[in-house]
């Protein structure tokens, strides 16, 4: 089948079925827009299984996504969508870029969840953009922007329920959306420890890519522990 796209962590192939794509998760990890890059055997398998588990959980709780089914350890089938070039970040607790940008202490709990948009553009280093910038760049209309925010907050609520049950704290996460053939906005891409910050509720240790960004542990051990917790959750 034809390779349609290769990103930092995944390859996307066409299938014999119209509008169905095959996603293969790669054993590669990057941070800082590719500034730090490594091959880590087993990482693709973990992110595929974690993303599949989370998209199934969201579906069971009324949140639709492009995910169809997991078909192997490293592959899943998804509905074809045209990705909107926005990274939609939801933050419950301050960490990462917002501590540097606005001076919040790491760990500060926000009064309410915050939604931010970043423009997906490697050449520009994925800058933070406002609603007006989004309209200026014709990335989404006002109505679509409001729908993206509402959907992101709905995903946050479901993930908060799940993480709280698992005695974890959902600090922040990044999601992406796409447009279906008939113009519907659908949650897409992945939800994994690569795209979330998750802390242990008791010790605040990380179950996410910060262990790689900050060189504080083994991504495989941490992601495997997180997957085990997810699979143990009923
Ligand atoms: P940030 O604190 O670096 O802005 O990241 C916020 C969240 O978004 C964090 O959970 C990591 C995730 N993220 C991605 O998944 N991809 C990215 O390119 C960036 C910058 C952040």
């Amino acid at each position: 089948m034809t390779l349609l796209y290769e990103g930092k962590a995944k390859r996307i192939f066409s299938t014999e079925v119209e509008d169905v794509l095959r996603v293969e998760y790669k054993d590669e990890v990057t941070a800082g827009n590719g500034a730090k890059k490594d091959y880590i055997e087993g990482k693709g398998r973990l992110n595929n299984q974690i993303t599949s588990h989370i998209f199934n959980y969201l579906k069971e709780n009324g949140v639709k996504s492009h995910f169809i089914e997991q078909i192997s350890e490293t592959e899943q089938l998804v509905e074809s969508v045209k990705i909107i070039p926005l990274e939609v970040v939801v933050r419950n607790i301050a960490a990462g870029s917002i501590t540097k940008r606005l001076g919040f202490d790491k760990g500060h709990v926000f009064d309410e969840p915050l939604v931010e948009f970043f423009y997906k553009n490697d050449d520009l280093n994925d800058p933070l953009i406002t609603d007006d910038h989004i309209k200026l760049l014709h990335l989404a209309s006002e109505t679509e922007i409001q729908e993206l925010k509402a959907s992101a907050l709905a995903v946050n609520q479901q993930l908060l329920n799940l993480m709280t049950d698992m005695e974890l704290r959902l600090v922040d996460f990044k999601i992406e959306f796409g447009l279906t053939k008939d113009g519907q906005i659908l949650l897409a891409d992945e939800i994994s420890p690569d795209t979330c910050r998750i802390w242990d509720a008791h010790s605040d240790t990380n179950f996410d890519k910060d262990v790689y960004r900050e060189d504080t542990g083994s991504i495989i051990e941490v992601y495997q522990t997180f997957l085990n917790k997810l699979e143990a959750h009923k």
Side-chain angles (χ1 to χ4, degrees), residues 1-183:
M1 292 291 110
T2 318
L3 175 67
L4 300 177
Y5 171 80
E6 177 155 5
K8 296 186 189 98
K10 299 185 285 293
R11 289 187 195 91
I12 315 276
F13 297 86
S14 62
T15 68
E16 57 282 2
V17 183
E18 204 189 332
D19 297 326
V20 175
L21 304 178
R22 178 168 61 83
V23 182
E24 186 186 284
Y25 282 71
K26 304 198 302 188
D27 281 341
E28 268 169 40
V29 57
T30 63
N33 195 13
K36 186 172 174 187
K37 188 174 173 182
D38 282 287
Y39 171 85
I40 299 188
E41 197 177 333
K43 190 241 179 200
R45 172 182 69 78
L46 290 165
N47 273 2
N48 180 47
Q49 291 180 92
I50 292 168
T51 293
S52 298
H53 192 105
I54 290 180
F55 278 142
N56 274 325
Y57 168 84
L58 288 175
K59 188 175 170 188
E60 283 162 18
N61 287 280
V63 179
K64 285 194 273 183
S65 74
H66 74 155
F67 177 77
I68 300 171
E69 61 174 338
Q70 186 187 330
I71 54 167
S72 79
E73 279 207 322
T74 54
E75 299 162 298
Q76 54 186 238
L77 294 181
V78 302
E79 185 177 336
S80 171
V81 293
K82 188 166 175 286
I83 292 287
I84 301 169
L86 289 172
E87 300 197 329
V88 185
V89 169
V90 181
R91 301 179 190 273
N92 298 301
I93 300 172
S97 68
I98 200 165
T99 61
K100 295 183 198 113
R101 196 178 341 109
L102 297 181
F104 285 106
D105 288 334
K106 183 178 174 184
H108 172 87
V109 179
F110 295 122
D111 297 339
E112 49 191 82
L114 170 73
V115 180
E116 293 178 335
F117 293 109
F118 294 82
Y119 182 24
K120 260 171 76 82
N121 183 317
D122 283 344
D123 294 338
L124 299 177
N125 234 337
D126 299 346
L128 176 76
I129 59 173
T130 66
D131 295 14
D132 285 344
H133 293 145
I134 293 174
K135 285 182 267 181
L136 211 62
L137 288 160
H138 301 292
L139 304 178
S141 67
E142 177 61 34
T143 316
E144 287 171 332
I145 292 168
Q146 296 314 320
E147 188 178 337
L148 291 172
K149 286 184 187 173
S151 301
L153 289 172
V155 171
N156 185 49
Q157 192 52 60
Q158 293 306 330
L159 293 181
L160 277 174
N161 294 346
L162 175 65
M163 301 294 165
T164 306
D165 266 6
M166 291 165 63
E167 299 193 22
L168 298 172
R169 300 175 83 198
L170 179 63
V171 175
D172 59 30
F173 62 90
K174 183 272 298 181
I175 46 180
E176 296 183 21
F177 293 88
L179 290 172
T180 62
K181 242 185 355 192
D182 54 3

